[in-house]
Amino acid sequence: MTQFWGTHQNRRDAKGRVSVPAQFRAALRALGDGEATLVLRPSHKHSCIEAWPQSLFQELETPLGRLDQFSDPHDDLALTLYADAYPVEPDKEGRIILPESLAAFAGLGETVVFMGLGRTFQIWEPAAAEQRRAEARVRARELTLAGIGAGTAGGKA
Amino acid sequence: MTQFWGTHQNRRDAKGRVSVPAQFRAALRALGDGEATLVLRPSHKHSCIEAWPQSLFQELETPLGRLDQFSDPHDDLALTLYADAYPVEPDKEGRIILPESLAAFAGLGETVVFMGLGRTFQIWEPAAAEQRRAEARVRARELTLAGIGAGTAGGKA
DNA sequence: TGGGGTTTCATGGAATATCATGGGCGGATA
DNA sequence: TATCCGCCCATGATATTCCATGAAACCCCA
């Protein structure tokens, strides 16, 4: 059920194209989202680009329907969801073009990092990605010391 | 119920492939995890690679479902679970290739050590493995003396 | 109990397929 | 008509698959 694993590094060419890691492409194919397989949007927490499979992104839209169409919350949600989101479809070689505004937002240079997050993935500038991972590792460890850690799994007396 | 026993030494060839010890392979087969039988990830306690049977790893994922999808803890956990984890499937000869980032993390050279931990196993650089075992022996002994272990079990190793 | 035969493993290398990346062509647009 | 953007092909690098070999463990039988 989980789809996006691991961390991968690729490069943008002169035209701003990047190959989506083959593994991720396979996962997308498995989802069978035909047109515009991906939705890209800036993360609201970090300097990175979030990549959502089209079908999963649509699930985010459902709360919209429950809000009064003319209410402020509706407008706010709709705006954050759509205004900065870009649908992209990999070309025949599996590459996508990162919109300039998103690339700038994430501070991307030539090489970019794809980080799998299970059902979605993120696109980072390499150094920022490394920093973020270190940070998350520490915090997740506090969260679930009981759960993760083969040290404890096997070691369980 | 316990599956991975003992310590085994194997070599990585020029392409970074290592044979999974035959005993471990048999254990995996018994589990019947078809696709991507193993999940590799860095240990957060030690400089080694943790290897989880796919089905067992899925149990780690369950806490995710209980967290708010947009919360920080969810993000941190998802990132540590997936961004550093790599699913691998042994080839026909029973070998796996260790992702470069993980090999570097564990400081692996040519020969690597597989240590059984019951339901999971770990992959170590030989010297580090030896040190770790010595350390564990001492601590386990303290446990035994404290009255946990069966008196007989403590004996012959 | 020792020897011979057989099987299983770990390991090496070669052939093949996949992938990432670069460049060129043509059509659409202003 | 000039420029930009998307489409297609070419290529080197990398991973995957397949087959081959030597060594060790195991088993069976004398």
Side-chain angles (χ1 to χ4, degrees):
Chain A
M1 179 80 285
T2 324
Q3 299 136 69
F4 302 107
W5 296 83
T7 299
H8 311 264
Q9 247 191 24
N10 280 335
R11 291 156 102 131
R12 293 200 289 163
D13 66 17
K15 301 180 187 174
R17 300 174 296 186
V18 211
S19 290
V20 176
Q23 236 176 351
F24 289 10
R25 297 206 301 263
L28 284 172
R29 231 178 296 125
L31 283 176
D33 297 19
E35 292 298 301
T37 43
L38 278 177
V39 175
L40 302 182
R41 58 184 305 276
S43 160
H44 45 264
K45 291 188 202 160
H46 307 285
S47 287
C48 72
I49 302 174
E50 287 180 1
W52 295 73
Q54 165 78 18
S55 55
L56 186 59
F57 186 77
Q58 277 171 357
E59 293 179 18
L60 292 184
E61 301 176 358
T62 51
L64 262 187
R66 287 198 290 272
L67 293 171
D68 172 9
Q69 187 166 5
F70 299 102
S71 66
D72 282 352
H74 178 282
D75 282 2
D76 292 343
L77 182 54
L79 192 134
T80 47
L81 271 184
Y82 297 119
D84 297 320
Y86 298 82
V88 296
E89 172 101 5
D91 67 16
K92 207 170 64 173
E93 283 74 34
R95 289 176 289 195
I96 56 177
I97 297 185
L98 302 176
E100 188 42 45
S101 63
L102 291 182
F105 172 81
L108 298 186
E110 190 185 0
T111 75
V112 301
V113 165
F114 292 76
M115 280 204 313
L117 284 178
R119 310 212 300 166
T120 66
F121 60 91
Q122 296 177 341
I123 302 174
W124 289 78
E125 188 279 326
E130 186 44 47
Q131 190 176 335
R132 165 77 184 122
R133 273 204 288 176
E135 176 191 316
R137 254 181 237 135
V138 172
R139 289 211 293 234
R141 183 172 173 182
E142 291 163 2
L143 268 181
T144 58
L145 251 192
I148 316 185
T152 52
K156 163 51 173 81
Chain B
M1 180 83 283
T2 326
Q3 297 136 70
F4 303 105
W5 281 301
T7 300
H8 310 262
Q9 236 187 34
N10 281 335
R11 278 187 200 193
R12 292 200 292 161
D13 66 18
K15 301 179 190 171
R17 300 176 296 186
V18 211
S19 290
V20 176
Q23 222 176 337
F24 289 10
R25 297 207 300 264
L28 283 172
R29 232 178 294 124
L31 283 176
D33 296 20
E35 292 297 302
T37 43
L38 279 177
V39 176
L40 302 182
R41 60 184 308 279
S43 159
H44 29 251
K45 287 196 197 159
H46 308 286
S47 286
C48 71
I49 302 174
E50 291 178 1
W52 295 72
Q54 163 79 19
S55 54
L56 185 59
F57 187 82
Q58 280 174 357
E59 294 180 17
L60 294 186
E61 301 176 357
T62 52
L64 266 185
R66 287 198 292 270
L67 292 170
D68 171 14
Q69 185 171 3
F70 299 101
S71 66
D72 284 352
H74 178 281
D75 283 3
D76 291 340
L77 184 54
L79 194 136
T80 45
L81 274 184
Y82 298 117
D84 292 329
Y86 297 82
V88 297
E89 173 103 5
D91 66 15
K92 208 172 61 176
E93 283 74 32
R95 289 176 289 194
I96 56 177
I97 60 167
L98 303 175
E100 188 44 45
S101 61
L102 291 182
F105 172 81
L108 299 185
E110 190 185 359
T111 76
V112 302
V113 166
F114 291 76
M115 277 204 316
L117 282 177
R119 309 214 298 165
T120 67
F121 61 91
Q122 296 178 339
I123 302 173
W124 289 78
E125 189 279 327
E130 183 45 45
Q131 188 177 336
R132 165 80 185 116
R133 275 198 289 173
E135 182 187 311
R137 253 180 244 130
V138 171
R139 289 213 289 239
R141 183 168 171 199
E142 288 165 3
L143 282 177
T144 306
L145 289 178
I148 297 181
T152 54
K156 157 73 175 172

